[in-house]
């Protein structure tokens, strides 16, 4: 077995990685920087969108994080998540089960309490993001390594005054591994040649007690027979998104000029010669990739947007808008356990004063029907309008970063998930403080946006929150790019398949003149379009997927026409 290499992170703590893949000094320094995220809580303050291109296709590698390092990181993650969620939990967790493992504070790792469904700040985690019961809170408390460790770091920004060649894959020196390195060999067998991040001595007990994720975990057996069967004893658990999503392993070679070239382990026929099984596989993968590409599109366009700082959080008021003679607002029962802090007339006047400037398409469904025409962005919005309207000042856009992070799980840095959860909770606090509800019983004051002073306070708090959310959003976009690079074949991630790389191009997918043929033509140019992308939202309307199923709008017809165009009919 090779000797562990010691790398010191930015926090000063010592950590060990076995150099199963030996790289040059540049790569090792990049790996050290990535590993420092296990302990560092410092976030970048830059506010410019990520400008480096998606990472190149990965070189198969195995990285081992020693047991003491990953257990320490998992403990800190669990403790931080618990501290963030504790104010919204129903009660203290029960005593540890007999034989159950506790963390350093005596808290049974597996015994998380459920969130309070009537807490005005924390109930959105249940209603919007499905974190129900103890399983929901425990899901957030599970630790996961950063998949970005499997990729070479992006090249540093090049000073404008210095002329130098860009970093290429040829800068990375790949050294053959010792033939007796049984742990590396076992990891490559378990991963089908893709490699991955191996957590030393991790076991299914760590999954059962809530420390690690079952999803995506691959036991690495210590011994295999000639048929590839093991004896049950394992080195640890390995995580690699490509293993979970069925990416095919590639062998990496270099040509005479030092440029990297790749060759599939299994030669693929030309597209016209693919058999039906291969076509079905690609179709299935394109459907799997679609939501990840969509969320990456939203993150990218939001980073590139201009903030709107004059909405004053009136979406909560629009939910309760009830002028004389109008039907009762369906969302009036949403926070039915809370009293109003203002009168119904005050709510109506606040909404009618200058209308509503809500850019979040999901919020429109919860408006009272009478409030729809008062939204300056329209009373009917398509899902694709989100690419045009989503902007970095929106508190609900900050909250939705948690949904996007959960979609990546467990293939996302646990430190990033903590930061995203913290931003989402602070956004929710501002959301309810600016609402017409009295939330003083939960220790929260009011931001009275019905007054000029209250609106100034809201803008100030909204701006501060936007600045805090920006680095987390950029890191989340990088996490999506890294994930898709590791999880899926490069042939499935071409420019035509990346919905939303160009804000102006994707803005043309929606029209204001009812030109449905234009919408279908734009969408049919891409490999796959999820049907809910063609749905519309109206005040008091159905959720996006039910909108398609029930045929509430013409979206189902558009979806059928788009599918027909894809099939050449």
């Amino acid at each position: 077995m090779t000797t562990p290499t010691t790398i010191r992170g930015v926090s000063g703590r010592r950590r060990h990685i076995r150099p199963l893949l030996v790289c040059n000094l540049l790569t090792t320094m990049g790996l050290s920087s990535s590993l420092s995220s296990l302990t560092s809580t410092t976030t970048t303050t830059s506010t410019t969108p990520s400008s480096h291109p998606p990472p190149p296709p990965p070189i198969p590698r195995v990285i081992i994080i020693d047991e003491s390092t990953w257990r320490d990181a998992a403990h800190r993650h669990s403790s931080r998540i618990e501290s963030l969620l504790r104010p919204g939990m129903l009660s203290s967790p029960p005593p540890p089960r007999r034989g159950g493992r506790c963390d350093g504070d005596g808290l049974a790792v597996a015994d998380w309490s459920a969130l309070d469904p009537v807490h005005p700040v924390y109930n959105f985690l249940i209603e919007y993001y499905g974190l129900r019961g103890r399983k929901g809170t425990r899901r957030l408390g599970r630790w996961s390594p950063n998949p970005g460790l499997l990729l070479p770091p992006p090249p540093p920004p090049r000073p404008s005054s210095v002329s130098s060649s860009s970093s290429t894959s040829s800068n990375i020196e790949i050294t053959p591994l010792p033939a007796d390195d049984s742990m590396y060999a076992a990891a490559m067998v378990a991963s089908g040649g893709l490699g991955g991040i191996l957590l030393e001595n991790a076991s299914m007990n760590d999954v059962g007690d809530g420390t690690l994720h079952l999803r995506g975990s691959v036991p690495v057996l210590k011994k295999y027979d000639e048929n590839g069967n093991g004896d049950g004893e394992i080195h640890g658990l390995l995580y690699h998104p490509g293993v979970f999503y069925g990416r095919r392993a590639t062998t990496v070679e270099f040509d005479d000029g030092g440029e990297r070239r790749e060759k599939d382990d299994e030669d693929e026929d030309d597209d016209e010669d693919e058999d039906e099984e291969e076509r079905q596989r690609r179709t299935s993968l394109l459907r799997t990739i679609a939501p990840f590409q969509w969320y990456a599109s939203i993150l990218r366009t939001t980073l590139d947007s201009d903030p709107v700082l004059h909405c004053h959080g009136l979406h909560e008021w629009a939910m309760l808008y009830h002028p004389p003679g109008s039907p009762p607002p369906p969302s009036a029962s949403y926070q039915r356990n809370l009293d109003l802090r203002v009168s119904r007339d005050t709510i109506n006047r606040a909404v009618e004063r200058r209308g509503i400037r809500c850019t979040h398409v999901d919020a429109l469904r919860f408006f009272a029907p009478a409030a729809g025409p008062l939204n300056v962005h329209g009373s009917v919005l398509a899902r694709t309008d989100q690419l045009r309207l989503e902007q970095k000042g929106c508190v609900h856009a900050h909250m939705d970063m948690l949904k996007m992070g959960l979609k990546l799980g467990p293939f996302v840095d646990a430190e990033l998930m903590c930061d995203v959860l913290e931003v989402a909770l602070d956004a929710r606090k501002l959301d309810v403080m600016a609402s017409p509800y009295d939330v003083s019983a939960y220790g929260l004051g009011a931001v009275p946006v019905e007054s000029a002073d209250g609106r100034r306070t809201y803008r100030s708090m909204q701006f501060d929150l936007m600045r805090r959310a920006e680095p987390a959003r950029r890191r989340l976009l990088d996490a999506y790019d890294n994930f898709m690079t590791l999880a899926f074949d490069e042939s499935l991630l071409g420019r035509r398949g990346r919905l939303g790389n160009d804000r102006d191009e994707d803005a043309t997918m929606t029209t204001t003149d009812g030109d449905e043929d234009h919408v279908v033509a734009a969408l049919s140019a891409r490999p796959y379009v999820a049907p809910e992308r063609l749905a519309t939202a109206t005040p008091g309307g159905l959720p996006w997927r039910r909108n398609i199923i029930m045929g509430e709008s013409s979206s189902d017809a558009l979806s059928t026409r788009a599918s027909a165009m894809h099939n050449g009919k």
Side-chain angles (χ1 to χ4, degrees):
M1 185 64 64
T2 54
T3 303
T5 297
T6 301
I7 299 177
R8 188 179 299 276
V10 296
S11 65
R13 300 183 64 89
R14 296 171 68 87
R15 56 197 74 260
H16 304 282
I17 302 178
R18 299 185 189 278
L20 296 187
L21 186 68
V22 182
C23 302
N24 64 6
L25 179 60
L26 175 62
T27 304
T28 304
M29 292 174 64
L31 184 58
S32 173
S33 175
S34 298
L35 275 176
S36 67
S37 66
L38 292 175
T39 55
S40 174
T41 57
T42 303
T43 58
T44 178
T45 57
S46 173
T47 57
T48 57
S50 177
S51 58
H52 61 77
I59 300 173
R61 66 180 68 193
V62 175
I63 293 174
I64 293 183
I65 302 180
D66 70 88
E67 183 175 8
S68 62
T69 297
W70 72 257
R71 287 198 185 279
D72 182 55
H75 168 75
R76 291 194 311 276
H77 171 76
S78 177
S79 298
R80 185 179 174 194
I81 291 291
E82 195 273 340
S83 67
L84 289 171
L85 297 181
R86 172 56 52 199
M89 288 183 177
L90 281 172
S91 61
S92 299
R97 294 190 301 268
R98 179 177 298 179
R101 185 173 64 82
C102 297
D103 67 14
D105 298 323
L107 177 67
V109 177
D111 294 325
W112 292 77
S113 296
L115 294 171
D116 185 351
V118 300
H119 194 294
V121 173
Y122 290 85
N123 59 4
F124 86 102
L125 297 175
I126 303 172
E127 297 297 328
Y128 296 168
Y129 307 139
L131 297 173
R132 295 179 174 85
R134 295 181 183 178
K135 183 180 292 186
T137 53
R138 186 169 64 173
R139 176 185 175 188
L140 287 174
R142 294 179 186 270
W143 183 78
S144 56
N146 182 4
L149 296 174
L150 295 170
L151 295 169
R158 185 170 52 189
S160 58
S161 60
V162 178
S163 176
S164 62
S165 60
S166 60
S167 175
T168 65
S169 300
S170 60
N171 289 335
I172 301 175
E173 179 184 353
I174 305 300
T175 304
L177 296 169
D180 62 350
D181 200 322
S182 60
M183 192 178 294
Y184 173 85
M188 293 301 282
V189 170
S191 65
L194 290 175
I197 300 176
L198 178 58
L199 307 183
E200 186 180 40
N201 293 330
S203 70
M204 285 301 163
N205 289 333
D206 297 301
V207 171
D209 69 13
T211 302
L212 301 175
H213 291 269
L214 173 63
R215 178 182 171 90
S217 62
V218 179
V220 177
L221 303 177
K222 288 189 174 181
K223 294 181 181 179
Y224 292 90
D225 59 24
E226 59 184 9
N227 297 320
N229 300 316
D231 60 2
E233 191 176 359
I234 66 174
H235 289 292
L237 297 179
L238 178 140
Y239 292 86
H240 190 302
V243 177
F244 185 79
Y245 287 97
R247 182 188 178 107
R248 292 179 173 176
T250 58
T251 57
V252 181
E253 302 173 350
F254 294 90
D255 60 23
D256 294 338
E259 296 296 325
R260 194 178 82 176
R261 65 171 181 262
E262 297 179 9
K263 181 180 180 181
D264 285 335
D265 287 343
E266 299 177 11
D267 292 333
E268 295 187 23
D269 297 329
D270 294 334
D271 290 345
E272 58 269 24
D273 296 328
E274 287 181 338
D275 57 22
E276 183 62 24
E277 182 178 350
E278 177 63 16
R279 284 195 294 270
Q280 290 179 359
R281 170 186 172 272
R282 290 179 63 85
T283 299
S284 176
L285 284 172
L286 287 171
R287 290 175 179 268
T288 300
I289 294 169
F292 297 109
Q293 291 177 318
W294 174 258
Y295 284 145
S297 303
I298 298 302
L299 290 167
R300 188 172 288 108
T301 55
T302 304
L303 283 167
D304 195 39
S305 68
D306 295 323
V308 174
L309 301 175
H310 55 272
C311 69
H312 305 133
L314 287 179
H315 54 276
E316 289 282 350
W317 298 65
M319 293 167 60
L320 297 174
Y321 181 61
H322 191 191
S326 67
S331 296
S333 61
Y334 171 59
Q335 299 277 27
R336 56 183 175 272
N337 62 300
L338 297 175
D339 294 327
L340 294 175
R341 63 173 180 82
V342 295
S343 67
R344 181 71 61 181
D345 288 342
T346 300
I347 293 174
N348 292 345
R349 285 196 302 271
V351 173
E352 294 167 353
R353 187 180 71 89
R354 294 185 62 185
I356 310 161
R357 290 167 171 78
C358 184
T359 59
H360 194 64
V361 297
D362 282 315
L364 184 66
R365 288 194 299 107
F366 298 95
F367 281 20
L374 298 177
N375 187 26
V376 298
H377 297 291
S379 59
V380 179
L381 293 175
R383 172 54 93 183
T384 49
D385 283 324
Q386 190 171 2
L387 289 168
R388 175 175 59 88
L389 294 175
E390 197 83 312
Q391 45 84 23
K392 63 181 67 175
C394 176
V395 295
H396 274 268
H398 305 330
M399 292 159 59
D400 274 355
M401 286 197 296
L402 178 61
K403 174 177 65 176
M404 298 175 186
L406 289 170
K407 179 66 177 177
L408 286 180
F411 307 112
V412 60
D413 184 16
E415 183 77 19
L416 173 58
M417 286 302 298
C418 285
D419 294 341
V420 166
L421 175 62
E422 187 170 9
V423 168
L425 289 173
D426 287 345
R428 178 62 170 179
K429 289 176 184 177
L430 177 58
D431 198 31
V432 300
M433 290 168 66
S435 74
Y437 298 106
D438 180 1
V439 291
S440 58
Y442 294 89
L444 299 172
V447 178
V449 295
E450 67 275 17
S451 69
D453 288 343
R455 290 190 288 273
R456 281 192 292 269
T457 299
Y458 184 90
R459 283 195 297 270
S460 176
M461 297 176 70
Q462 183 184 20
F463 182 77
D464 289 343
L465 183 61
M466 178 187 71
R467 294 184 62 182
R468 288 183 49 218
E470 188 89 343
R473 181 173 285 111
R474 188 182 317 103
R475 289 162 57 205
L476 187 56
L477 175 58
D478 289 342
Y480 262 84
D481 284 338
N482 290 343
F483 164 80
M484 288 190 287
T485 298
L486 289 164
F488 305 111
D489 298 337
E490 187 179 11
S491 63
L492 300 172
L493 297 174
R495 175 63 181 89
R496 287 164 61 86
R498 286 184 178 274
L499 182 61
N501 274 8
D502 188 301
R503 188 180 183 91
D504 293 333
E505 174 185 331
D506 288 295
T508 65
M509 293 169 58
T510 59
T511 62
T512 57
D513 57 2
D515 185 0
E516 295 178 352
D517 289 334
H518 178 72
V519 178
V520 174
L523 292 173
S524 63
R526 293 172 169 82
Y528 174 75
V529 178
E532 57 266 28
R533 303 293 172 252
L534 295 161
T536 56
T538 57
L542 294 172
W544 298 104
R545 287 185 179 274
R546 289 186 61 196
N547 181 308
I548 291 292
I549 295 171
M550 302 296 292
E552 180 177 292
S553 69
S554 61
S555 302
D556 49 350
L558 284 174
S559 179
T560 301
R561 292 170 60 190
S563 298
M565 294 181 70
H566 280 305
N567 296 328
K569 297 180 180 179

